[in-house]
Amino acid sequence: MDSNFMFILPLICILNFHFLETFANETPEESKLETYIVHVEAPETQIFTQSEDLKSWYHSFLPTITASSSDNPRMIYSYNNVLKGFAARLSPDEVKEMEKKPGFVSALPEKVLPLHTTHSPNFLGLNQNMGFWRDSNYGKGVIIGVLDTGIFPDHPSFNDEGMPPPPAKWKGKCEFNVTSCNNKLIGARFFSKEDNTPLDEDGHGTHTASTAAGNFVKGANLFGNANGTAVGMAPLAHLAIYKVCSPFCSESDILAAMDTAIDDGVDVLSISLGGLTDNLYSDNIVLGAFTAMEKGIFVSCSAGNSGPYNFSVSQEAPWILTVGASTIDRMIRATAVLGNNELFEGESAFQPMDFSSAFLPLVYAGMLNSSDLYAQYCFPESLNKTDVIRGKIVVCESGGIERIAKGQAVKDAGGTAMILVNSERYGNTIAAEAHVLPATQLSYADGLKVKAYINSTLNPVAKILFKGTLIGDDRAPVVAAFSSRGPNFASRGILKPDILGPGVNILAAWPVSVENNTNTKSTFNMISGTSMSCPHLSGVAALLKSSHPDWSPAAIKSAIMTTADVVNLAKQPIEDEKFLPANIFATGSGHVNPSRANDPGLVYNIQPEDYIPYLCGLNYTNRQVGTFVQRSVNCSTESSIPDGQLNYPAFAITFTVQSNSQTYTRTVTNVGEPKSSYSVEIVRPHGVDVRVEPTTLNFSELKQKMMYRVTFNRLASAGNNTVVQGFLKWDSDRYSVRSPIAVILS
């Protein structure tokens, strides 16, 4: 399928706050210090038998006058697993001196990364006491480590009813009091320099943890909507919480948490945060995830909320599962009715039963003051300057400030209700949120019609009808507008994102009641983001780990990707926020299908050592590759490969003027029926010829491996500056193993 493709790299500013500790006896020199992540390499002859030996060596890099100081220690973290190096408070001059020391590799100021911020188990085909949930024993025995804003331990989602004790390998700690942790919440630690407790004071971490592995909680709802039993993807998996955001997420804390989680014995890492980078070796989460993968830990990360722009995806490494966001088939309906009887279907989690169904005056905030550019976005300062909106329904544009804050501004200025209209960027992606006044959010197209109506009459009126929870939107899943898109900037031959999961209007645990209900701890909230889709896949990975304990992280990832759905509930191609067929750089392999992933037939496995020729093929220096594997590497003696040759369960091809033909091999491992035969099915991207040899794979036993070769040739009919997509599938009597093909025609 052809699609017009523009190479747009959006300007995304990620604030770099550098933490500066202050002390009563602070000197002017100390005020100039900032936290650096320092990478070092040890001589081949130097072997560290204890962590204290390693820490002592790290200290040797610090300025002599500071290394021995105990009052204001400069060393913040000494990393044992995720990388060879440490985090320390240094001045630029001290870093320059450090560069002269043998073994020094690099030192960069730490970044501060943003967070990427129920019915979904049923939507994904997970039902109690049957199917994959039952077969995987609900993730029993698997430990999911969640790096986020902490946790509210008293929430019923984290009760340990029916939970076994943690596995004997567990070495973690609970930095709450003893009674707050249990067999569900087996560990809780904090790393944020701003805090001294794992307690979640934001809500994000509680929400993501319960999405991944919350226990069954009956009667979960928000203002009576989305009523049902709330449960995470892997309800019998254990949770280990690592608080790294309070509210900002600094790299040194994230690395320290990953370092600790590896020692603690987690099986899955769920990381709903991150930022953009132009290479893999300078992304510390990517480096930490590599070590985790080497130790058999599955790492799931959110793709980011910078969509729908191209090249906006984060966490691009092939050893990370990068998760985009999509809708589910549940809507919390709130209908706007205009005075001309036009109806526009929107959503809102706040559905007051006593709100009048009579027409009310309607006003567009952007018309209140044409010289105030902020008025259209319903900034409090803009609305407070006028009394015009009192008793009226106010139309506000999305953007500028939080959607809930717009409603509060309208309410404070005397408005009765709000119609929130999407920007063109967000299209048809609508958030059902816990507004503070009667409200509905409408699509971009419907918003234009509402504003056209206001301009067409002297006395515009409207009303909002609240219709509650509706299940069965057969358009679902739809790719969320905010879900970050590929292509993969750091490694063009690896398709990203990998997979879609539920990330729009997800109901999960929340530390406080947004309904101001003080009589219960069973409090929930509905929020959206790839932060929400990531823990869905972390939970699915835990189920697969429980069901297949011998599978590697790459095998689990392959099973998820090759069994993904590419059509919606109406059996039509998955759509994007404009309700157009979604581009492959929005969907990746498709939408997760947990039950099919449990029995994929074939998997594309990758061993940790396979990544060395891949990294060398990215033209990284020996030292840069050595940063990943924490040992010396000589790429001139390694079998360097192009990134498209990695045994990945997808193909991402770029044809330039100089390159009209590319050939790659793949090796698949039989995990289905011992004696089985697979035939290839190819849907060729327009303008590209795809040839596979052999066309049949015959297996005689389990774990047998077979290789095939695929050649891509650009045809004369191919367009320019476009993206085309297709797929190849290996079909047997029982299985269908699908690999997407993305081709950029430069």
Side-chain angles (χ1 to χ4, degrees):
M1 179 178 60
D2 285 289
S3 60
N4 292 328
F5 184 74
M6 294 187 295
F7 293 89
I8 302 174
L9 183 60
L11 180 62
I12 298 175
C13 298
I14 297 176
L15 298 179
N16 283 276
F17 293 92
H18 304 307
F19 177 74
L20 302 178
E21 293 187 21
T22 57
F23 300 88
N25 59 344
E26 186 182 59
T27 67
E29 288 74 20
E30 287 178 332
S31 68
K32 298 177 183 177
L33 304 180
E34 52 186 337
T35 301
Y36 284 79
I37 308 294
V38 182
H39 292 261
V40 295
E41 62 180 5
E44 291 287 333
T45 56
Q46 193 159 3
I47 299 174
F48 301 102
T49 57
Q50 299 182 41
S51 61
E52 286 303 314
D53 295 337
L54 186 63
K55 189 173 183 180
S56 177
W57 179 60
Y58 289 159
H59 269 281
S60 71
F61 285 87
L62 296 178
T64 306
I65 194 169
T66 66
S68 59
S69 173
S70 58
D71 294 335
N72 302 326
R74 297 289 197 89
M75 181 81 73
I76 297 175
Y77 294 116
S78 170
Y79 302 121
N80 299 319
N81 299 304
V82 291
L83 54 85
K84 281 286 189 296
F86 54 92
R89 297 170 58 250
L90 300 165
S91 70
D93 288 340
E94 289 169 341
V95 171
K96 287 182 181 178
E97 284 300 311
M98 190 182 293
E99 290 173 357
K100 302 173 183 177
K101 297 190 176 184
F104 175 87
V105 175
S106 66
L108 292 172
E110 70 171 352
K111 300 172 188 172
V112 172
L113 304 176
L115 292 162
H116 291 151
T117 203
T118 199
H119 167 69
S120 48
N122 297 127
F123 177 65
L124 295 179
L126 298 175
N127 298 288
Q128 198 166 0
N129 299 322
M130 60 187 299
F132 178 36
W133 242 359
R134 180 196 61 205
D135 296 344
S136 66
N137 211 358
Y138 304 91
K140 184 177 180 180
V142 178
I143 303 170
I144 302 176
V146 180
L147 275 64
D148 215 293
T149 64
I151 195 166
F152 183 65
D154 295 336
H155 196 282
S157 290
F158 310 122
N159 81 79
D160 64 353
E161 181 180 351
M163 290 291 305
K169 68 172 184 173
W170 174 244
K171 299 181 179 67
K173 295 179 181 178
C174 182
E175 294 177 345
F176 286 121
N177 62 47
V178 177
T179 58
S180 292
C181 289
N182 54 31
N183 286 334
K184 163 59 72 176
L185 178 60
I186 60 173
R189 296 181 181 231
F190 66 91
F191 295 84
S192 173
K193 309 175 190 72
E194 303 288 329
D195 216 335
N196 59 359
T197 174
L199 186 67
D200 183 10
E201 297 171 317
D202 177 274
H204 192 276
T206 298
H207 198 280
T208 56
S210 67
T211 300
N215 215 330
F216 293 90
V217 181
K218 294 180 179 179
N221 67 87
L222 186 61
F223 295 107
N225 295 296
N227 193 25
T229 298
V231 62
M233 291 294 101
L236 289 187
H238 304 284
L239 281 168
I241 304 302
Y242 302 88
K243 184 176 182 178
V244 295
C245 308
S246 184
F248 303 111
C249 321
S250 64
E251 275 189 307
S252 61
D253 295 336
I254 296 166
L255 282 170
M258 296 177 78
D259 207 60
T260 302
I262 292 170
D263 280 336
D264 287 349
V266 303
D267 299 297
V268 176
L269 276 174
S270 186
I271 306 176
S272 290
L273 51 89
L276 297 178
T277 184
D278 57 1
N279 57 66
L280 300 180
Y281 59 80
S282 63
D283 188 324
N284 285 304
I285 293 179
V286 165
L287 291 173
F290 188 91
T291 301
M293 172 275 301
E294 285 185 305
K295 296 180 182 295
I297 299 170
F298 187 91
V299 183
S300 171
C301 291
S302 47
N305 294 341
S306 300
Y309 305 114
N310 299 323
F311 291 106
S312 58
V313 67
S314 61
Q315 315 307 345
E316 300 157 285
W319 49 86
I320 292 174
L321 183 74
T322 308
V323 187
S326 55
T327 65
I328 58 175
D329 65 337
R330 180 186 62 207
M331 299 167 288
I332 315 296
R333 182 64 76 213
T335 304
V337 184
L338 305 184
N340 61 3
N341 291 320
E342 281 189 286
L343 278 73
F344 301 105
E345 304 290 6
E347 293 194 61
S348 172
F350 176 51
Q351 304 234 332
M353 301 301 295
D354 57 350
F355 185 62
S356 172
S357 60
F359 281 105
L360 294 171
L362 180 67
V363 62
Y364 173 50
M367 298 172 64
L368 298 176
N369 184 350
S370 59
S371 64
D372 184 355
L373 297 178
Y374 298 104
Q376 61 185 318
Y377 301 108
C378 292
F379 274 63
E381 299 82 2
S382 301
L383 299 189
N384 287 340
K385 297 175 183 177
T386 177
D387 199 42
V388 175
I389 69 173
R390 188 167 299 279
K392 297 180 180 179
I393 298 177
V394 183
V395 177
C396 301
E397 300 279 358
S398 62
I401 58 174
E402 296 292 326
R403 293 179 287 265
I404 303 294
K406 296 175 189 290
Q408 188 66 56
V410 170
K411 184 177 181 179
D412 291 344
T416 300
M418 175 179 69
I419 295 177
L420 182 62
V421 298
N422 271 359
S423 64
E424 185 175 7
R425 171 192 172 189
Y426 270 75
N428 296 299
T429 299
I430 293 175
E433 295 185 300
H435 290 287
V436 297
L437 82 172
T440 186
Q441 183 173 343
L442 303 181
S443 70
Y444 171 68
D446 288 348
L448 293 178
K449 294 173 185 176
V450 170
K451 288 179 282 188
Y453 163 72
I454 292 173
N455 288 327
S456 72
T457 179
L458 291 175
N459 297 299
V461 295
K463 58 185 176 181
I464 301 175
L465 305 178
F466 296 103
K467 300 178 180 179
T469 304
L470 302 176
I471 303 289
D473 178 12
D474 64 4
R475 211 158 204 154
V478 176
V479 182
F482 56 77
S483 186
S484 288
R485 303 327 202 236
N488 186 333
F489 189 81
S491 182
R492 199 64 59 84
I494 300 297
L495 180 64
K496 290 286 178 173
D498 292 307
I499 197 73
L500 294 173
V504 179
N505 300 332
I506 302 303
L507 185 75
W510 201 250
V512 296
S513 172
V514 297
E515 306 169 53
N516 294 319
N517 183 352
T518 59
N519 297 321
T520 180
K521 293 180 180 178
S522 185
T523 50
F524 294 85
N525 198 6
M526 191 175 287
I527 58 177
S528 302
T530 54
S531 281
M532 284 63 256
S533 53
C534 169
H536 277 92
L537 270 296
S538 304
V540 170
L543 295 176
L544 293 171
K545 185 80 173 176
S546 180
S547 187
H548 304 280
D550 59 329
W551 279 9
S552 69
I556 293 173
K557 181 175 179 177
S558 171
I560 290 171
M561 292 174 65
T562 61
T563 59
D565 293 328
V566 294
V567 296
N568 58 24
L569 295 181
K571 304 302 180 184
Q572 297 299 312
I574 291 174
E575 296 175 329
D576 64 14
E577 74 285 348
K578 295 179 181 178
F579 289 161
L580 298 174
N583 187 286
I584 193 169
F585 293 122
T587 63
S589 294
H591 192 271
V592 62
N593 185 324
S595 297
R596 286 193 62 212
N598 188 45
D599 190 18
L602 306 174
V603 293
Y604 294 77
N605 205 6
I606 305 173
Q607 298 300 327
E609 58 269 20
D610 297 336
Y611 290 108
I612 296 176
Y614 159 78
L615 292 167
C616 289
L618 293 175
N619 293 321
Y620 292 168
T621 66
N622 292 338
R623 177 168 275 185
Q624 288 164 348
V625 176
T627 303
F628 291 90
V629 297
Q630 299 181 38
R631 62 175 175 82
S632 296
V633 172
N634 186 350
C635 282
S636 63
T637 62
E638 297 285 346
S639 55
S640 177
I641 61 171
D643 49 359
Q645 176 59 27
L646 188 69
N647 201 42
Y648 211 64
F651 296 90
I653 310 298
T654 299
F655 282 127
T656 63
V657 176
Q658 295 81 19
S659 168
N660 287 318
S661 180
Q662 296 179 31
T663 299
Y664 301 108
T665 61
R666 291 291 189 270
T667 299
V668 289
T669 303
N670 183 20
V671 295
E673 296 174 321
K675 292 186 177 180
S676 51
S677 179
Y678 291 80
S679 298
V680 72
E681 174 190 349
I682 303 170
V683 171
R684 295 173 174 84
H686 181 72
V688 179
D689 182 52
V690 182
R691 302 288 177 93
V692 174
E693 296 178 354
T695 57
T696 302
L697 300 176
N698 295 308
F699 294 92
S700 58
E701 59 185 0
L702 286 175
K703 298 185 179 180
Q704 183 180 354
K705 301 178 188 296
M706 296 199 74
M707 186 182 76
Y708 68 90
R709 183 182 307 273
V710 55
T711 299
F712 303 92
N713 287 303
R714 181 176 186 163
L715 303 177
S717 60
N720 292 309
N721 296 321
T722 64
V723 168
V724 290
Q725 59 195 65
F727 62 85
L728 69 81
K729 284 198 301 183
W730 290 100
D731 297 318
S732 73
D733 293 339
R734 179 175 174 180
Y735 299 105
S736 181
V737 186
R738 183 182 184 276
S739 291
I741 302 170
V743 181
I744 298 175
L745 298 167
S746 297

